[in-house]
Amino acid sequence: MKSRLLAALCALLAGAAAAQEIRPQEQARLDRFERVAGTSLLQAMGGGAAGDVDALTAALAGTPQVAFDPGLDGDWRCRTMKLGGIAPLTVYSDFDCRITVLIDGLAFEKLTGSQRTKGKITLRDGRAVYLGVGYVSSESPCPTPICRRILRGPRRATRMWRCLNGSATPARG
């Protein structure tokens, strides 16, 4: 009985590990992260609306904290900020999200709004990296990594987490 349970647990863990492998195109995004983040930040600060730049400045302020603190577990109010690209800076309304502390990282899920995301934040090469799927609220999350998002960034202060390359910033409501 114990051996069957151990075998099932090993299979489950192997499946979870395989689901979190970074594909080559995701690794390429991480490899050019600093360059793209710098360019996007310059576009946002130089061309964003004053109120949006203020919100971005507040999100970026502070000293990085421990990324995987058990105190992060629970329901949060979150905000997404998109930097660079077609619009220099877009700051979206707050939404409900949930962070669940896991043995090997954090599960993150956007709970409200028309666009959702669900995935996992793990430590990779000394940085917190989010791998998740984006989907529309009327649909189920994509079961394969084809539609995965990849975000990276440090936690700031005790009330927010900043993820760059998508800039999801949860803050206790």
Side-chain angles (χ1 to χ4, degrees), residues 2-47:
K2 285 185 180 179
S3 64
R4 275 191 237 158
L5 181 60
L6 182 59
L9 181 60
C10 288
L12 180 65
L13 291 175
Q20 287 298 308
E21 289 180 16
I22 293 183
R23 298 174 299 162
Q25 62 270 35
E26 294 165 338
Q27 186 59 53
R29 285 183 73 185
L30 283 174
D31 290 344
R32 64 181 186 271
F33 172 77
E34 279 78 12
R35 180 180 51 82
V36 172
T39 300
S40 297
L41 188 57
L42 287 172
Q43 288 177 0
M45 298 301 278

Side-chain angles (χ1 to χ4, degrees), residues 58-81:
L60 294 174
T63 304
Q65 304 292 311
V66 175
F68 299 102
D69 185 322
L72 291 171
D73 198 72
D75 291 342
W76 293 73
R77 294 289 297 158
C78 303
R79 173 177 277 181
T80 297
M81 299 178 187

Side-chain angles (χ1 to χ4, degrees), residues 116-136:
R116 308 281 176 94
T117 187
K118 183 176 186 175
K120 190 172 180 183
I121 302 167
T122 57
L123 193 62
R124 296 177 186 274
D125 297 325
R127 300 261 183 139
V129 174
Y130 173 75
L131 291 177
V133 295
Y135 61 101
V136 179

Side-chain angles (χ1 to χ4, degrees), residues 13-166:
L13 291 175
Q20 287 298 308
E21 289 180 16
I22 293 183
R23 298 174 299 162
Q25 62 270 35
E26 294 165 338
Q27 186 59 53
R29 285 183 73 185
L30 283 174
D31 290 344
R32 64 181 186 271
F33 172 77
E34 279 78 12
R35 180 180 51 82
V36 172
T39 300
S40 297
L41 188 57
L42 287 172
Q43 288 177 0
M45 298 301 278
D52 290 348
V53 171
D54 289 345
L56 174 61
T57 301
L60 294 174
T63 304
Q65 304 292 311
V66 175
F68 299 102
D69 185 322
L72 291 171
D73 198 72
D75 291 342
W76 293 73
R77 294 289 297 158
C78 303
R79 173 177 277 181
T80 297
M81 299 178 187
K82 292 185 179 176
L83 285 64
I86 296 171
L89 175 61
T90 305
V91 177
Y92 292 91
S93 315
D94 291 359
F95 57 87
D96 294 334
C97 63
R98 178 171 295 134
I99 294 176
T100 305
V101 176
L102 306 170
I103 293 171
D104 59 343
L106 303 169
F108 176 83
E109 183 175 9
K110 182 177 187 271
L111 302 171
T112 57
S114 60
Q115 296 180 19
R116 308 281 176 94
T117 187
K118 183 176 186 175
K120 190 172 180 183
I121 302 167
T122 57
L123 193 62
R124 296 177 186 274
D125 297 325
R127 300 261 183 139
V129 174
Y130 173 75
L131 291 177
V133 295
Y135 61 101
V136 179
S137 62
S138 60
E139 312 248 336
S140 295
C142 180
T144 64
I146 292 171
C147 54
R148 265 200 322 217
R149 292 181 177 198
I150 186 163
L151 309 172
R152 166 174 125 171
R155 180 172 163 223
R156 296 279 178 187
T158 56
R159 296 176 46 85
M160 65 178 56
W161 184 295
R162 183 188 73 217
C163 294
L164 300 175
N165 199 5

